[in-house]
Amino acid sequence: MDLRAYLVLWCAVFGAVAVVGYARSLAGTTKAQRAVRVMGRIEQVREPRHGSSARDGIPVVVSFRDPSTGQESTVTNDRDHGERITAAWTGREIGVRYPRARPHAYRFVGDLTAGRRGLGWPNFALFLVYVGLVTFAAIDRGWPWALIGFGGPWTLSGLWYLPQSARAVSRRIDRLNSRPPVQGRVIAVLTDTSTDSEGSTSTSHTPVVSFTTHEGTTVTAYCTDDLPDPVNSYGRDVTIHYAPDDPAVFTPDLAAENRSRTLEMTCGTVMLLLGGASVVAGAVLL
């Protein structure tokens, strides 16, 4: 069996996976569609212990109500229960997802609407079909088709992503500037050590800050960016700029936010230009 036959088989298998996945989504029978999604409420926030691991998130107690039975559950995030909670305050709403009639199998989710149609795997399978088709075209008609096949979608996605990203970053900066900053404090530095496949050991340090907003909300959150010398930051007083509508959006360094915006736009523009150049080069070489 030559490579073309393998590519045909590749496309057929993943095409079938995509079709089955889309059919299940239309029928409403995917696992994501059958899951119950409710909003929970953080009832209690505990301070992380200095030197402990950042993998479990900020310790919280969450309550939520099953819409079908009316039963209320009070749970914690002391084990692996979905997305890690990195910013918490009493009264904050947080998404909870669980299989129908099994609230004890709960998982925390940041966005209740994300992935609710169960199209993640079918979309990925369709992408693999496209990869197979482009590879087949490159082998059958010449490698410039690979430049066009991969550069075209890359360019289109860049044209869509770049303006969206620019608007999102601009809105974030405006929100961070909409209130005077408040004083916060680094209440813990969490430490995690990992070993890669080659036996090399690396250590990460995650500062945890606590600050009270002008509205009187006490926020406990991981501060993973824009804090200099995080290893020795325990007990340090910091100035916090935050978004009034969502204190989980904050920074201790507003100037760094502006620098990161410039860097992100520059990288996005370069990647867009590379995609466009790939399409042009492929078209010229045909």
Side-chain angles (χ1 to χ4, degrees):
M1 185 180 293
D2 64 7
L3 184 56
R4 290 180 177 82
Y6 280 116
L7 288 172
V8 170
L9 180 62
W10 170 284
C11 293
V13 170
F14 286 109
V17 172
V19 169
V20 171
Y22 291 130
R24 291 187 62 199
S25 179
L26 288 173
T29 60
T30 66
K31 182 179 178 180
Q33 290 171 311
R34 296 195 308 268
V36 179
R37 300 167 185 261
V38 298
M39 292 302 297
R41 181 182 186 276
I42 295 179
E43 304 290 348
Q44 184 180 352
V45 180
R46 303 189 184 101
E47 289 188 3
R49 180 174 55 83
H50 176 61
S52 60
S53 173
R55 295 189 180 98
D56 296 331
I58 296 170
V60 295
V61 177
V62 176
S63 65
F64 62 91
R65 187 181 299 275
D66 189 318
S68 60
T69 64
Q71 177 184 357
E72 185 163 338
S73 300
T74 301
V75 299
T76 65
N77 63 330
D78 56 353
R79 293 184 299 276
D80 182 20
H81 288 293
E83 294 186 21
R84 184 176 59 175
I85 298 175
T86 59
W89 58 88
T90 301
R92 183 187 186 187
E93 291 188 330
I94 184 169
V96 182
R97 185 186 67 200
Y98 55 90
R100 193 165 298 167
R102 295 175 56 199
H104 59 278
Y106 64 93
R107 298 184 69 82
F108 297 118
V109 292
D111 184 359
L112 280 179
T113 61
R116 64 183 310 137
R117 297 182 61 190
L119 293 177
W121 286 112
N123 288 341
F124 182 62
L126 188 62
F127 168 75
L128 293 178
V129 171
Y130 179 78
V131 170
L133 292 174
V134 171
T135 305
F136 187 91
I139 294 173
D140 195 56
R141 300 188 179 184
W143 63 268
W145 281 100
L147 294 176
I148 297 174
F150 290 110
W154 186 283
T155 303
L156 292 176
S157 63
L159 289 172
W160 178 86
Y161 168 79
L162 202 58
Q164 297 279 342
S165 176
R167 286 192 290 268
V169 173
S170 179
R171 286 195 299 267
R172 176 184 171 91
I173 297 295
D174 291 342
R175 293 163 69 195
L176 292 172
N177 278 309
S178 62
R179 288 283 194 281
V182 296
Q183 288 301 115
R185 186 176 180 83
V186 180
I187 60 173
V189 176
L190 310 181
T191 304
D192 290 284
T193 302
S194 59
T195 304
D196 61 19
S197 58
E198 298 179 351
S200 300
T201 301
S202 61
T203 302
S204 62
H205 301 276
T206 306
V208 181
V209 298
S210 177
F211 62 92
T212 301
T213 68
H214 292 292
E215 295 77 19
T217 301
T218 300
V219 180
T220 303
Y222 287 2
C223 185
T224 56
D225 300 309
D226 305 333
L227 191 64
D229 192 18
V231 178
N232 301 310
S233 61
Y234 179 51
R236 184 188 305 169
D237 293 327
V238 291
T239 299
I240 299 294
H241 302 262
Y242 70 95
D245 58 330
D246 184 7
V249 178
F250 72 93
T251 180
D253 189 346
L254 202 56
E257 286 286 328
N258 286 296
R259 290 193 298 271
S260 66
R261 172 172 62 176
T262 302
L263 178 61
E264 183 175 349
M265 295 306 300
T266 301
C267 291
T269 302
V270 170
M271 298 308 290
L272 176 61
L273 292 175
L274 287 175
S278 175
V279 173
V280 172
V284 170
L285 293 169
L286 282 178

